[in-house]
Amino acid sequence: MSIKEFEVSPCSRKEIETFVESNHYSKSINGVNTQYCFKMMHGDNLIGAAIFATFGMANVWKKYSDDKKTILELRRLCCIDEAPKNSESYLIGRCLRWLKNNTLIEHIISYADMDYNHEGVIYKATNFDYLGKTNKGVRIKYGERLYHDKTIRTYYKGKLKPYALRIKNALENGDAEYIESKGKHIYYYSLKRKRKPQVIWGDSTQWLYR
């Protein structure tokens, strides 16, 4: 298996939902307000996936952009364990290239979760800028998984979503508990096209985007 044989393309959320839930450490895409999904194929085999979405926390986007429509968060990224070295970096790079060439998105934010001992090595390898850490907070520990404390306030059509109700009940009966969160490393990538003058005819110039 070689990275040169991989093909990355946009896809529907449904195409990668089961894959992400099986291969991402969170084991879930609940609460992810999907905007763009990508799949990485090796022949007929799905070996990687990425989900770009609007921010999970309201108004956080204002820290990085003046327009909500120009910024996304990379919410899920995963590959199969058998994927060769640099597969995730390759996947991110192809996703960013597609977003730059096919959308008006200018800013990408992603987080490396310290509660899972993630440092953001992949983001460093793909030229993301490091912006520091989020504040410590509170999470819900239920079984082997951690959930944001807002999970139990996730509604759909006026009712708690089934998974939210399940976790809320677990808190009430003692099967789940609140714990302190270490926070997350913040990484930023700019897709904004820079302008440069390019000579077209003789001394005349035209501004082109690269």
Side-chain angles (χ1 to χ4, degrees):
M1 187 184 299
S2 170
I3 290 178
K4 295 180 180 179
E5 300 170 345
F6 297 167
E7 181 180 348
V8 178
S9 61
C11 65
S12 68
R13 174 173 168 139
K14 187 174 182 179
E15 287 179 80
I16 61 171
E17 183 172 4
T18 300
F19 178 89
V20 173
E21 291 178 340
S22 298
N23 291 278
H24 192 266
Y25 68 88
S26 70
K27 302 300 180 185
S28 174
I29 58 174
N30 284 322
V32 177
N33 187 8
T34 304
Q35 297 298 307
Y36 296 98
C37 292
F38 295 87
K39 61 182 178 181
M40 183 162 69
M41 305 293 294
H42 181 234
D44 295 329
N45 299 315
L46 177 60
I47 60 170
I51 298 177
F52 292 80
T54 54
F55 278 71
M57 297 295 291
N59 298 322
V60 172
W61 64 269
K62 293 181 180 179
K63 296 180 180 180
Y64 312 106
S65 176
D66 295 328
D67 186 348
K68 188 176 183 179
K69 296 178 181 179
T70 67
I71 185 166
L72 291 176
E73 179 184 342
L74 174 52
R75 294 290 300 275
R76 296 290 187 272
L77 175 77
C78 58
C79 292
I80 59 172
D81 292 338
E82 297 78 12
K85 184 179 180 181
N86 300 324
S87 293
E88 290 180 321
S89 298
Y90 181 85
L91 173 56
I92 291 177
R94 292 302 184 275
C95 292
L96 295 178
R97 179 185 297 179
W98 190 93
L99 290 170
K100 179 177 181 178
N101 293 332
N102 296 278
T103 75
L104 297 178
I105 301 300
E106 297 179 354
H107 317 280
I108 302 294
I109 292 290
S110 196
Y111 299 93
D113 198 331
M114 290 188 282
D115 287 335
Y116 290 92
N117 298 316
H118 294 171
E119 296 294 328
V121 175
I122 298 169
Y123 304 124
K124 295 175 183 178
T126 45
N127 298 316
F128 276 68
D129 295 318
Y130 181 63
L131 301 184
K133 303 175 183 178
T134 63
N135 294 327
K136 293 182 178 180
V138 175
R139 279 182 163 176
I140 300 170
K141 184 177 182 181
Y142 180 37
E144 298 300 318
R145 292 172 56 182
L146 299 176
Y147 298 85
H148 197 284
D149 65 330
K150 75 170 186 176
T151 299
I152 60 173
R153 302 186 296 276
T154 306
Y155 289 84
Y156 179 70
K157 293 184 177 180
K159 295 183 179 180
L160 279 174
K161 288 189 174 182
Y163 78 94
L165 182 59
R166 183 170 62 252
I167 296 171
K168 183 179 180 180
N169 290 338
L171 281 170
E172 293 174 351
N173 63 32
D175 289 337
E177 62 178 337
Y178 286 104
I179 64 170
E180 183 181 56
S181 170
K182 297 177 182 178
K184 301 178 182 180
H185 295 289
I186 309 168
Y187 288 90
Y188 167 81
Y189 191 92
S190 174
L191 290 174
K192 191 172 183 179
R193 297 175 176 129
K194 298 179 180 179
R195 295 196 305 170
K196 66 177 183 179
Q198 177 174 330
V199 176
I200 306 300
W201 298 287
D203 294 330
S204 64
T205 61
Q206 181 176 349
W207 285 95
L208 299 178
Y209 286 96
R210 65 180 177 187

